[in-house]
Amino acid sequence: MDIDKEIRTEGRPGGGDGETAPAGRTGAGSPVEFRLDAASGVPTYLQLVHQVEHALRLGYLKPGDQLPKVRDVVAALAINPNTVLKAYKELETKGLTAGRPGQGTFIQATLSQVTLPELAGLRRSLLGWLASAEAAGLDEDGMVALFSSALRDFFNRRGGSAGGRGTAGGETEGVA
Amino acid sequence: MSVNVIEAGGLGKRYGGTWALRDCSLAIPAGHVAALVGPNGAGKSTLLNLAAGLAEPSAGGVTVLGGRPAGSRAAADGIAFVAQDTPLYKNLPVADMLHLTRNLNRRFDQAYAQGRLAELGIPLKRKAGKLSGGQQAQLALTLALARRPRLLLLDEPVAMLDPVARHDFMAAVLTAMADDGVSVVLSSHALAELERVADYLVLLSRGRVQVAGEVEDLLASHRMLTGPAADAGRYAERPVVHLQRGEAQAHLLVRATPHDPVPPGWEAHPVGLEELALAYLREPGAGALPGPARGRSTQTSEVTR
């Protein structure tokens, strides 16, 4: 009964890890589309929240951008409208979005203080690190383990919270 | 906003000497997709038929849409019901089905129905019986929605459909909910699918309501505890819904919130709708307690004291 798999054949390229299903045209008028991973065990509304946060971190979404309309998400993913509303409310509570009556939901903050070119540069150096890790004989799980452990150490040494998840640095960057 | 789309008190239906539904009391609030779940013969279709006014109760009563007696004209005007077998006249062309339905109902939005069928690419001249299963289901749904109901009742709406048709059908139902705020009550065996569709759950077992409540509340008030099988018996005092015991390890589905302390040596995990429903379905006796969302006798907070 995995409906996701049935839709995947229409998937857009670069849709990610292959575990999730592209969802058609939720993104009409919005820079992003939502996908659902039925096997992840993560509640549907949280999946939507995470995808917006992820898109914000990677610069796919910027202040002023519109999120897909609730109706479009419902139509594309066949999920309960209340689930989408809950996700959007959560994003609003986090200060990341704001609803505009009659128009929709818009991004008003960013999670990334880094510009797209900077991100591309950082990604390149990370790819370089990955190549050397592979050359040293690490497999994917090994790389993830090493990176996660280094990441934990890095932030632990700095006393924990700083720079961790959800410190939406851009909350003061208003929308034009 | 506290209108109940279905409210039943002591509701029962007997066919011959057999109670298909008995002592059923529940209140399903508006604005939800409520799923009726239970084994075959648990009374799901009976409950839907009683709510739709297609059957007379043998005991108790049922009202819909904020107190309208089921079967009354006021109730019928606000309800659309799509029965299990997608009832269509197979020899009638689609256009004639539209015409017939329009004439049989006080309210029928012809423009909406035609627009929807055009969008779906369902030809008006084709006989209903010649449409694909998915198209027949969509036609039945279109006829139901064109009556502009406030409550949509669906009995096993997607049981016969292939995965794409199921997805499209549910997407259409949920889009109607997003557009018009129609409330939905549907019966289904497809638990995995309900996970993302339903936000209210009614579990029926042997003709009685076993669990009823908002999915979010139900999930927040149940946890799966995993630990040593030898200790499993120690939790007999607690409201254990379901126990799976191996030689060394046991899984207990208990009524407990994420804030309740986890016993030493045990791990607690959140549960999903499917896991929760399966556990209850395997333990028909666990239905003695009311749904935690509307708990009366047992508060979840006292669960793991």
Side-chain angles (χ1 to χ4, degrees):
Chain A
M1 301 300 97
D2 190 346
I3 293 164
D4 290 334
K5 294 208 171 67
E6 298 295 327
I7 308 165
R8 191 177 300 163
T9 48
E10 289 188 348
R12 55 173 183 171
D17 54 13
E19 290 296 316
T20 46
R25 288 166 297 279
T26 51
S30 171
V32 294
E33 292 180 358
F34 289 118
R35 305 166 292 151
L36 278 191
D37 181 357
S40 70
V42 179
T44 306
Y45 89 95
L46 266 187
Q47 290 193 40
L48 303 185
V49 170
H50 290 164
Q51 283 171 40
V52 170
E53 290 175 340
H54 191 70
L56 279 169
R57 281 197 189 91
L58 296 182
Y60 293 123
L61 280 173
K62 315 178 290 299
D65 283 343
Q66 182 170 14
L67 290 185
K69 290 203 159 67
V70 173
R71 179 195 199 277
D72 294 339
V73 181
V74 168
L77 300 179
I79 58 176
N80 193 310
N82 294 330
T83 305
V84 187
L85 291 171
K86 187 174 173 189
Y88 282 15
K89 202 173 144 198
E90 173 98 5
L91 288 164
E92 200 166 333
T93 307
K94 289 183 168 198
L96 297 176
T97 63
R100 294 182 199 161
Q103 291 185 62
T105 304
F106 292 80
I107 300 294
Q108 69 163 12
T110 178
L111 284 171
S112 168
Q113 301 98 310
V114 182
T115 62
L116 274 180
E118 281 178 298
L119 277 176
L122 288 168
R123 168 181 274 264
R124 263 196 307 280
S125 45
L126 191 55
L127 286 172
W129 179 83
L130 290 171
S132 44
E134 184 173 41
L138 273 187
D139 63 1
E140 189 180 335
D141 289 341
M143 293 179 203
V144 171
L146 184 56
F147 181 83
S148 313
S149 143
L151 190 70
R152 240 188 341 265
D153 285 354
F154 182 75
F155 284 113
N156 280 344
R157 213 171 309 146
R158 293 179 34 178
S161 63
R165 285 174 62 93
T167 54
E171 272 164 36
T172 50
E173 300 181 23
V175 188
Chain B
M1 201 50 223
S2 59
V3 167
N4 291 320
V5 289
I6 298 183
E7 199 167 333
L11 183 65
K13 178 67 185 174
R14 194 178 49 205
Y15 292 103
T18 310
W19 287 93
L21 191 71
R22 75 188 304 177
D23 198 22
C24 169
S25 296
L26 53 75
I28 301 177
H32 290 284
V33 177
L36 299 182
V37 173
N40 289 326
K44 304 186 295 290
S45 296
T46 304
L47 178 57
L48 287 172
N49 276 289
L50 288 166
L54 298 175
E56 286 282 325
S58 312
V62 54
T63 61
V64 296
L65 293 168
R68 309 179 195 175
S72 68
R73 192 164 182 171
D77 279 348
I79 291 185
F81 179 45
V82 180
Q84 202 158 5
D85 35 14
T86 315
L88 297 168
Y89 292 102
K90 310 284 186 216
N91 284 320
L92 280 190
V94 173
D96 291 2
M97 282 293 315
L98 284 188
H99 189 72
L100 182 67
T101 313
R102 191 178 61 211
N103 286 336
L104 287 173
N105 287 282
R106 294 208 294 166
R107 184 164 44 165
F108 190 81
D109 190 336
Q110 178 83 8
Y112 168 85
Q114 278 178 342
R116 207 167 171 266
L117 293 174
E119 215 171 276
L120 292 162
I122 295 179
L124 292 175
K125 288 181 181 158
R126 188 153 311 160
K127 287 184 177 175
K130 299 278 184 199
L131 299 174
S132 72
Q135 287 178 323
Q136 290 190 26
Q138 289 282 7
L139 173 58
L141 180 64
T142 302
L143 296 175
L145 290 176
R147 297 184 52 228
R148 296 295 182 187
R150 303 310 305 148
L151 170 62
L152 182 63
L153 303 175
L154 305 167
D155 195 1
E156 292 284 350
V158 295
M160 307 293 282
L161 301 182
D162 67 60
V164 171
R166 293 166 86 103
H167 183 276
D168 291 350
F169 185 91
M170 287 317 301
V173 169
L174 295 159
T175 306
M177 184 182 177
D179 285 344
D180 305 327
V182 60
S183 299
V184 181
V185 177
L186 61 89
S187 68
S188 179
H189 288 303
L191 288 176
E193 211 162 87
L194 291 179
E195 192 106 43
R196 42 207 251 198
V197 168
D199 55 357
Y200 196 94
L201 178 70
V202 178
L203 271 174
L204 290 174
S205 168
R206 298 173 184 163
R208 295 173 192 270
V209 176
Q210 192 181 4
V211 172
E214 288 196 30
V215 171
E216 201 180 316
D217 297 335
L218 289 170
L219 297 185
S221 58
H222 288 79
R223 312 224 83 194
M224 187 67 81
L225 294 182
T226 299
D231 279 358
R234 282 211 274 157
Y235 300 101
E237 296 300 307
R238 303 181 182 188
V240 175
V241 175
H242 181 63
L243 163 66
Q244 267 178 285
R245 192 204 291 259
E247 282 291 312
Q249 195 185 41
H251 305 283
L252 304 176
L253 181 74
V254 298
R255 287 175 176 246
T257 71
H259 309 293
D260 288 317
V262 177
W266 289 71
E267 281 173 57
H269 302 280
V271 291
L273 174 62
E274 184 175 14
E275 200 171 23
L276 179 94
L278 275 175
Y280 273 99
L281 291 174
R282 291 207 169 97
E283 304 282 347
L289 297 168
R294 311 189 172 274
R296 285 180 300 242
S297 56
T298 304
Q299 292 301 316
T300 47
S301 53
E302 56 195 52
V303 163
T304 48
R305 287 282 145 80

